[in-house]
Amino acid sequence: MNTIGIDVGGTNIKAVLISPTGEILRRASLPTEAQRGRDVVIGIIHRGIELLVGDVATGDLGGIGIGVPGSIDFDHGTVLHPPNLPGWDEVPLVALMEERWKVPVLLDNDANCAALGEANFGAGQEVSHFIGITLGTGVGSGIIINREIYHGARGYAGEFGHASIDYNGPLCACGNRGCIEAYVGNSYLIANAKQRLAAHPESVLYAMATDDATLTPKDISDASAAGDPVATRILYDVGCTLGIAISNAANLMDIPTFIIGGGVSAAGKPLFDGIRETANTRVLKVHRGGIAILPAALGNDAGVMGAASLLA
Ligand SMILES: [Zn+2]
């Protein structure tokens, strides 16, 4: 049966209706309006589903999967304290959705959904075990073991972004130091890049190195693609920091495949070179040369497609 996937982001709510083979039959995207509080946001989720099912009876629908940017109480189907959704301290989303739509509803963390989407329909289709990493404002990740999401003892597994690579490193929003997110998360990456660019007047990005100038990851990857060696070095070094964290995860889990997506991953070759070289030289000898770093295949659809396949 067809299923619906919903990705509740801080900015947009995306929804798709997919066939069992992963064909997207219909899609909708609506602004989240997170500042208007939980009831408005839940109303927008319902609206997104209405746009997909239209006049089709929900008897033809296998269920609804929802990815949310926060932790989940799986026993009660409750969303716990999503940082970007004000007023959502503890929301029984499964109960609210099942009451309205009369179909099975499953919830998971958005990064787990993105990894599952890549497993079922994207770059991970041929891979039994991998870690999916999404680079953006934060660093999201999901662990796939035997083609299923690994949740850990209480459902909180997969926080690769808060693996520390330096106990005296930069302060992360979580309170720890040296988390990989504090190097690769968008705002940290840009702050680091500006600091380095300030010492390189030969770079085309030099004028953007001041505190109040706008510099985006795309500016850096565009400059690198145009041949700016400073921009290339910045992206390569970002890749190296990720590669160190990846080598730790590979040693710990014996997982040799990592699928990298999200905005910053569009930086392409220098970033991936840094990740591949570092991960493959820092791991234990048994893994050396065997760590595969694959670009994600589904782009922005990974989360909604993974959510839709939670019911499979
Ligand atoms: Zn952290």
Side-chain angles (χ1 to χ4, degrees):
M1 284 214 280
N2 298 334
T3 55
I4 283 177
I6 310 276
D7 186 14
V8 183
T11 310
N12 287 299
I13 291 172
K14 283 178 280 186
V16 294
L17 177 70
I18 70 166
S19 74
T21 56
E23 186 192 351
I24 295 181
L25 305 169
R26 290 187 192 166
R27 65 164 73 229
S29 180
L30 297 165
T32 306
E33 304 192 41
Q35 295 309 322
R36 294 176 63 195
R38 59 169 251 186
D39 291 345
V40 170
V41 176
I42 290 167
I44 294 169
I45 296 174
H46 287 315
R47 179 74 192 126
I49 297 170
E50 282 166 10
L51 290 172
L52 296 181
V53 296
D55 47 9
V56 179
T58 48
D60 299 330
L61 188 64
I64 300 169
I66 308 179
V68 292
S71 302
I72 288 156
D73 173 345
F74 286 95
D75 290 339
H76 300 98
T78 303
V79 182
L80 303 174
H81 321 295
N84 297 318
L85 298 174
W88 283 57
D89 286 337
E90 288 187 25
V91 177
L93 195 58
V94 165
L96 291 170
M97 289 288 134
E98 287 185 342
E99 186 186 318
R100 165 77 187 265
W101 295 100
K102 317 291 185 203
V103 293
V105 175
L106 286 176
L107 274 185
D108 214 311
N109 169 269
D110 54 359
N112 286 346
C113 287
L116 187 66
E118 291 292 338
N120 288 330
F121 310 114
Q125 290 180 76
E126 308 295 324
V127 189
S128 298
H129 317 297
F130 70 88
I131 296 180
I133 299 170
T134 306
L135 307 177
T137 308
V139 176
S141 65
I143 301 170
I144 300 291
I145 294 180
N146 286 325
R147 308 202 49 73
E148 292 181 356
I149 297 167
Y150 173 72
H151 286 110
R154 294 183 300 150
Y156 307 146
E159 293 291 348
F160 174 84
H162 299 284
S164 176
I165 59 171
D166 180 355
Y167 67 90
N168 277 327
L171 191 63
C172 177
C174 77
N176 193 6
R177 286 190 175 276
C179 294
I180 193 64
E181 184 165 302
Y183 298 87
V184 186
N186 273 349
S187 58
Y188 299 99
L189 186 155
I190 292 301
N192 285 341
K194 283 184 171 183
Q195 214 169 40
R196 288 179 62 173
L197 286 165
H200 290 280
E202 76 278 17
S203 169
V204 296
L205 298 175
Y206 179 66
M208 300 181 192
T210 57
D211 280 345
D212 48 355
T214 302
L215 177 70
T216 66
K218 187 170 185 305
D219 293 329
I220 304 174
S221 54
D222 287 350
S224 167
D228 188 297
V230 182
T232 299
R233 186 73 209 185
I234 287 170
L235 293 172
Y236 178 82
D237 287 351
V238 168
C240 293
T241 57
L242 256 174
I244 294 167
I246 282 175
S247 70
N248 289 331
N251 284 339
L252 180 70
M253 305 287 293
D254 186 18
I255 289 181
T257 307
F258 295 79
I259 296 177
I260 317 287
V264 176
S265 69
K269 189 171 185 304
L271 179 84
F272 277 81
D273 283 351
I275 301 173
R276 286 187 180 114
E277 288 168 22
T278 308
N280 272 300
T281 48
R282 297 271 184 143
V283 281
L284 291 170
K285 200 168 178 181
V286 287
H287 299 298
R288 232 165 270 168
I291 305 299
I293 310 295
L294 309 177
L298 298 179
N300 287 330
D301 286 338
V304 269
M305 294 193 69
S309 66
L310 285 171
L311 298 121

